[in-house]
């Protein structure tokens, strides 16, 4: 095997080891012809099909979500993410990639499973306010923080020329998932998302637990020693993607030189990963629907 091909396969194995594919349980190539929840011609397939931007967006989404006291409390009280960051990454990745790219039956099964899990995620936050993961308003917050972050990462590192109409279409499409989970009154356009985030800002706050999440992310494990620098770059890229007001809330500052360095490095790493990863969820789903051999 040529050296270049050997290196490519090694990188691909490490990338897929931290994705939802590592958990198994979903055959993205079956049944043949099944378009799933969305299908190959949707914007959501386009946006969610780029692993590099999705990982950066996922980091940004988690930090944005954790600024909501009730979302933070639910994760803090009912998740083992502090002990198993890679496990949480794989589970989140499986849900996002499965609902996007898997068959319709598998996507619906994932949604129903998460709905069932949410029923047990209840409690009281640090300020004495009760929370429930099944609360429609909280579901919408988690969804908006996630979809907004994924799209911002895609626009930054993959396709800055995605039109406003296509961005609106992305929000309309991806809303189907949170609506399936029980979310209502979901914002479904760039303007509605921007207005929603502005309305939510007064209810967001950063406390010691939020800062602990930031610390944990900065020190998140990588699948190998060689992957540590790339993993750290991905995390810092995700942090830098946050809206400026969210960075301010977290007390994070980047100099213009650091921002340029992150942007330059991330673009090049993303190109390498796109070259290396040739059998991810998008590729397998495209084979299922007959778009790839």
């Amino acid at each position: 095997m040529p050296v270049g091909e050997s290196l490519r396969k090694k990188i691909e194995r490490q990338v897929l080891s931290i994705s939802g594919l590592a958990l198994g349980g979903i055959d993205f190539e079956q049944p043949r012809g099944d378009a799933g929840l969305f299908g190959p011609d949707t914007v959501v397939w386009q946006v969610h099909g780029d692993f590099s931007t999705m990982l950066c967006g996922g980091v940004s989404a988690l930090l944005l979500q954790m600024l909501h006291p009730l979302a933070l409390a639910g994760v803090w009280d009912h998740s083992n993410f502090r002990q198993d960051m890679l496990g949480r990454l794989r589970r989140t990745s499986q849900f996002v990639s499965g609902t996007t790219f898997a068959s319709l039956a598998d996507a619906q099964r994932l949604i129903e499973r998460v709905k069932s899990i949410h029923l047990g995620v209840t409690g009281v936050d640090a300020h004495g306010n009760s929370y429930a993961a099944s609360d429609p308003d909280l579901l919408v917050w988690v969804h908006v923080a996630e979809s907004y972050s994924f799209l911002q990462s895609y626009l930054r590192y993959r396709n800055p020329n995605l039109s406003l109409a296509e961005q609106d279409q992305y929000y309309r499409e991806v809303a189907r998932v949170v609506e399936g989970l029980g979310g209502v009154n979901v914002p479904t356009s760039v303007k509605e998302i921007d207005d929603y985030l502005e309305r939510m800002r007064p209810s967001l706050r950063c406390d010691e637990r939020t800062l602990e999440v930031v610390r944990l992310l900065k020190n998140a494990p990588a699948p190998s020693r060689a992957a540590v620098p790339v993993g750290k770059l991905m995390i810092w890229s995700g942090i830098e993607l946050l809206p400026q007001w969210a960075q301010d809330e977290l007390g994070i500052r980047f100099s213009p030189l650091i921002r340029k360095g992150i942007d330059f490095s991330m673009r090049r790493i993303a190109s390498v990963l796109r070259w290396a990863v040739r059998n991810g969820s998008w590729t397998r789903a495209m084979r299922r629907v007959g778009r790839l051999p």
Side-chain angles (χ1 to χ4, degrees), residues 96-114:
V96 174
S97 63
T99 52
T100 304
F101 297 116
S103 69
L104 182 60
D106 281 327
Q108 291 173 333
R109 176 176 56 82
L110 286 169
I111 290 171
E112 291 304 314
R113 185 173 72 187
V114 169

Side-chain angles (χ1 to χ4, degrees), residues 174-226:
V174 79
R176 292 183 61 185
V177 176
V178 70
E179 288 168 349
L181 291 171
V184 296
N185 300 320
V186 183
T188 56
S189 70
V190 170
K191 184 180 186 311
E192 288 180 5
I193 293 285
D194 289 344
D195 290 347
Y196 173 84
L197 289 172
E198 191 64 30
R199 290 197 308 273
M200 291 297 295
R201 283 181 59 183
S203 62
L204 307 178
R205 59 172 63 89
C206 175
D207 63 18
E208 289 303 316
R209 294 188 299 180
T210 321
L211 295 176
E212 176 67 4
V213 174
V214 176
R215 187 191 69 78
L216 288 168
L217 272 175
K218 289 179 180 178
N219 295 283
S224 71
R225 184 176 299 178

Side-chain angles (χ1 to χ4, degrees), residues 10-283:
K10 183 177 181 179
I11 295 172
E12 182 177 50
R13 281 195 302 270
Q14 295 209 17
V15 169
L16 296 185
S17 76
I18 64 172
S19 76
L21 289 171
L23 297 177
I26 298 176
D27 186 348
F28 286 86
E29 299 193 42
Q30 298 295 331
R32 292 287 177 170
D34 188 319
L37 272 179
F38 303 106
D41 297 317
T42 56
V43 181
V44 68
W45 270 45
Q46 182 179 337
V47 173
H48 291 186
D50 188 62
F51 177 83
S52 304
T53 57
M54 288 296 284
L55 186 55
C56 291
V59 171
S60 192
L62 177 61
L63 291 177
L64 191 55
Q65 289 165 350
M66 294 302 95
L67 286 174
H68 193 302
L70 302 184
L72 172 63
V75 170
W76 195 272
D77 295 343
H78 296 271
S79 170
N80 67 341
F81 81 99
R82 283 166 286 172
Q83 297 78 34
D84 187 18
M85 293 283 286
L86 285 178
R88 177 180 171 80
L89 173 61
R90 293 185 185 106
R91 292 189 296 274
T92 301
S93 173
Q94 184 186 63
F95 180 78
V96 174
S97 63
T99 52
T100 304
F101 297 116
S103 69
L104 182 60
D106 281 327
Q108 291 173 333
R109 176 176 56 82
L110 286 169
I111 290 171
E112 291 304 314
R113 185 173 72 187
V114 169
K115 282 178 69 176
S116 178
I117 292 171
H118 280 172
L119 295 177
V121 179
T122 61
V124 178
D125 75 357
H127 307 279
N129 300 308
S130 61
Y131 66 82
S134 58
D135 174 12
D137 291 337
L138 194 55
L139 286 167
V140 170
W141 165 252
V142 170
H143 162 78
V144 168
E146 185 175 81
S147 56
Y148 170 83
S149 299
F150 288 156
L151 183 57
Q152 296 312 302
S153 185
Y154 183 80
L155 291 169
R156 171 77 68 86
Y157 291 118
R158 183 58 170 169
N159 181 13
N161 297 315
L162 192 71
S163 71
L164 184 60
E166 290 171 313
Q167 293 177 50
D168 287 347
Q169 183 179 337
Y170 169 74
Y171 284 128
R172 286 195 305 271
E173 290 168 356
V174 79
R176 292 183 61 185
V177 176
V178 70
E179 288 168 349
L181 291 171
V184 296
N185 300 320
V186 183
T188 56
S189 70
V190 170
K191 184 180 186 311
E192 288 180 5
I193 293 285
D194 289 344
D195 290 347
Y196 173 84
L197 289 172
E198 191 64 30
R199 290 197 308 273
M200 291 297 295
R201 283 181 59 183
S203 62
L204 307 178
R205 59 172 63 89
C206 175
D207 63 18
E208 289 303 316
R209 294 188 299 180
T210 321
L211 295 176
E212 176 67 4
V213 174
V214 176
R215 187 191 69 78
L216 288 168
L217 272 175
K218 289 179 180 178
N219 295 283
S224 71
R225 184 176 299 178
V228 169
V230 175
K232 288 193 176 297
L233 174 62
M234 289 276 191
I235 289 164
W236 279 107
S237 298
I239 294 171
E240 198 272 333
L241 270 173
L242 285 164
Q244 187 59 54
W245 55 262
Q247 293 181 35
D248 292 342
E249 188 74 31
L250 293 167
I252 295 171
R253 301 284 186 276
F254 292 101
S255 70
L257 184 61
I258 292 296
R259 289 187 187 276
K260 285 184 178 180
I262 290 173
D263 186 83
F264 177 88
S265 301
M266 187 60 230
R267 290 180 187 279
R268 275 139 192 82
I269 288 297
S271 296
V272 171
L273 295 183
R274 289 179 194 123
W275 163 75
V277 180
R278 302 182 186 178
N279 197 33
S281 301
W282 177 86
T283 303

